[in-house]
Amino acid sequence: MRPLKIAGVTLALIVAVVGTGIVIVASRFDAPRIKAELAQVVQKQQQRTLKIDGDLELGFWPDIGIELGKLSLSERNSAQIFASADSARVSVALLPLLSKRIVVNSVALNGARIALIRHKDGTLNIDDLRSRDQTGSQPLQLDIAAIKIADAQISWTDEQSGGTTTVSGIDIATGAVSIDSGTYSVAGLSLAAKGETDAAHQLDAKLELSGIEGTGRMLKVAKIVLDLDGRSGDSAFKARLDSALAADLEGMSATLDNLSGEITLSNPKLPMKRIALPFSGRVKLDLSARSAEGNLAARLGESKIALKFDHAKLSPPSLGFALDIDRINADQYLPPQQAGEGKIDFSALNKLKLDGTVRIGSLQIAKTRVRKLKLRIRAVDGRRAGVSETLRTGISATRE
């Protein structure tokens, strides 16, 4: 029976220590003082206003945690809201508190809202939060076992172009997060979001990241997996992307290495009903210039496709490219042409600048075969240029 007695005494001691810790924490917990000190620190260091509605609540189950109601953080030197949340909870380990150390077990946010803005001068409304040159600041050391964010919304406003974008319904979960003197690592991160403009247009997205590490400037992700599942009218598509990522956060640039994936499109009007396009390659992004460059290789049935693009911009939208296809039977992928049809809708080119070449070794379309086809495509604001000049000499065509 001696082992049982030892186990009983040990359990009693643990209960006593935990109980003592809870009493100490509860006796020292002063919600109004904590709220005032937090607001004072944020105002002094960031010139932003932190507002916490209601009282802070101290909970002891399933762990020691501080629960907050609605809270908001203003823009720098402004009353405009930058970020807010409907509720938040931070849980901490008990025993380290007895030695005046804080070890965070988890952070949970519900209904978070963040408004990102690029001002007309090119600066961002988070530049002050990213700065590492604040006088008197101490190196940040933090370990969090898990972070969970539910029903978040992120909006982006570009005052230079006048464009706005909002993504809502975002759920984020991470594994262990460690930050120490400018370096950080995240065991794993998952993100899910759903979008719907109306009943006919829907999109579900899921993002998984693993092996996240970096410094204040550099970020590396060993593996990124992105899954998209969408529907528009009768058309449905799925996409999966797998890649590694290296990013320069200050330079606002990123490279996707070892990129691979597949895109599938389904529509009952297509002759094959379903089209699959596996691809691989490399893409480099320059977020400050809002441009991209890279190369992709893909297969479409028996066709081999190679795409290179050296300048692709989002604003104003433009694309410079070289597309090479060894052979393709377009009749397998295009819906049958109905009487009275025959015109090509170029409305998608509106406000788009194109400059590129298309080379096809063998093309079959409308039961006509064309060999050694080379096209030069140029378009500015939806206006095509040199269409009659795109067919070069040496092209042969046979009717089957």
Side-chain angles (χ1 to χ4, degrees):
M1 297 294 292
R2 184 174 177 81
L4 293 178
K5 290 183 178 180
I6 294 175
V9 172
T10 302
L11 180 60
L13 289 174
I14 292 175
V15 171
V17 170
V18 171
T20 302
I22 291 176
V23 172
I24 293 174
V25 171
S27 64
R28 295 180 178 179
F29 185 77
D30 186 345
R33 179 181 60 82
I34 293 175
K35 288 173 56 176
E37 289 182 355
L38 284 174
Q40 185 178 6
V41 169
V42 172
Q43 183 63 49
K44 181 179 180 181
Q45 294 187 356
Q46 305 293 345
Q47 289 77 60
R48 293 172 180 257
T49 300
L50 174 64
K51 184 179 179 182
I52 302 175
D53 294 334
D55 295 331
L56 302 182
E57 296 183 2
L58 185 62
F60 297 97
W61 182 262
D63 48 24
I64 292 182
I66 299 176
E67 298 183 4
L68 303 87
K70 292 184 178 181
L71 64 154
S72 63
L73 181 67
S74 74
E75 294 282 359
R76 184 178 176 88
N77 294 320
S78 171
Q80 183 177 349
I81 300 299
F82 160 68
S84 63
D86 293 337
S87 63
R89 189 179 194 276
V90 180
S91 65
V92 297
L94 172 62
L95 294 180
L97 287 177
L98 302 179
S99 58
K100 297 182 179 181
R101 292 189 302 111
I102 297 179
V103 176
V104 180
N105 284 336
S106 65
V107 175
L109 285 175
N110 185 57
R113 302 289 183 267
I114 299 176
L116 300 176
I117 301 173
R118 182 194 296 275
H119 299 297
K120 292 182 178 180
D121 61 2
T123 61
L124 301 176
N125 64 335
I126 59 171
D127 284 343
D128 63 303
L129 299 177
R130 299 190 303 164
S131 175
R132 297 176 298 167
D133 300 325
Q134 299 169 13
T135 58
S137 61
Q138 298 295 324
L140 179 62
Q141 294 183 343
L142 185 62
D143 289 290
I144 303 175
I147 298 176
K148 185 176 182 179
I149 301 175
D151 191 27
Q153 174 180 294
I154 299 176
S155 64
W156 166 260
T157 301
D158 191 334
E159 294 181 348
Q160 291 181 333
S161 65
T164 60
T165 302
T166 300
V167 180
S168 57
I170 302 172
D171 294 330
I172 302 174
T174 76
V177 178
S178 177
I179 303 174
D180 188 358
S181 301
T183 64
Y184 56 87
S185 65
V186 182
L189 183 149
S190 65
L191 181 150
K194 294 184 178 181
E196 181 177 323
T197 56
D198 51 52
H201 301 280
Q202 301 175 359
L203 176 64
D204 294 346
K206 184 178 180 181
L207 180 65
E208 299 278 350
L209 294 86
S210 58
I212 306 171
E213 60 181 18
T215 63
R217 173 166 184 162
M218 303 304 299
L219 168 67
K220 291 184 178 181
V221 182
K223 187 174 184 179
I224 297 176
V225 179
L226 173 64
D227 287 295
L228 299 175
D229 191 344
R231 178 173 292 277
S232 178
D234 293 333
S235 298
F237 74 92
K238 292 185 178 181
R240 183 178 178 87
L241 180 149
D242 189 325
S243 177
L245 170 70
D248 182 344
L249 301 181
E250 291 188 3
M252 300 285 285
S253 65
T255 300
L256 296 172
D257 282 315
N258 302 319
L259 176 64
S260 64
E262 183 175 84
I263 299 173
T264 61
L265 175 65
S266 303
N267 189 300
K269 296 181 181 179
L270 294 174
M272 300 183 69
K273 309 303 179 185
R274 179 180 178 274
I275 299 173
L277 184 70
F279 61 89
S280 61
R282 183 176 186 270
V283 174
K284 184 176 181 180
L285 307 171
D286 186 342
L287 301 181
S288 60
R290 288 168 288 180
S291 65
E293 62 180 60
N295 58 81
L296 297 172
R299 292 193 68 95
L300 182 62
E302 297 180 351
S303 305
K304 294 181 181 179
I305 302 172
L307 172 65
K308 293 183 179 180
F309 52 96
D310 54 5
H311 61 277
K313 292 189 175 181
L314 299 177
S315 180
S318 65
L319 176 64
F321 66 94
L323 177 64
D324 288 281
I325 304 174
D326 63 343
R327 58 177 178 171
I328 185 169
N329 183 352
D331 292 334
Q332 293 181 329
Y333 307 107
L334 298 177
Q337 184 172 315
Q338 303 295 326
E341 293 183 346
K343 294 183 179 180
I344 300 177
D345 183 8
F346 286 100
S347 61
L349 298 180
N350 291 340
K351 298 183 179 180
L352 174 63
K353 181 179 179 181
L354 288 174
D355 188 357
T357 59
V358 178
R359 294 180 176 88
I360 304 177
S362 176
L363 168 66
Q364 178 176 317
I365 183 169
K367 296 184 179 181
T368 298
R369 177 162 292 177
V370 181
R371 294 186 176 90
K372 296 181 180 179
L373 177 65
K374 182 178 180 180
L375 304 175
R376 176 67 185 273
I377 298 177
R378 288 176 292 172
V380 179
D381 296 334
R383 296 187 297 273
R384 278 72 63 200
V387 174
S388 62
E389 300 175 359
T390 58
L391 299 179
R392 305 297 179 85
T393 58
I395 295 176
S396 62
T398 59
R399 179 81 175 180
E400 295 187 345

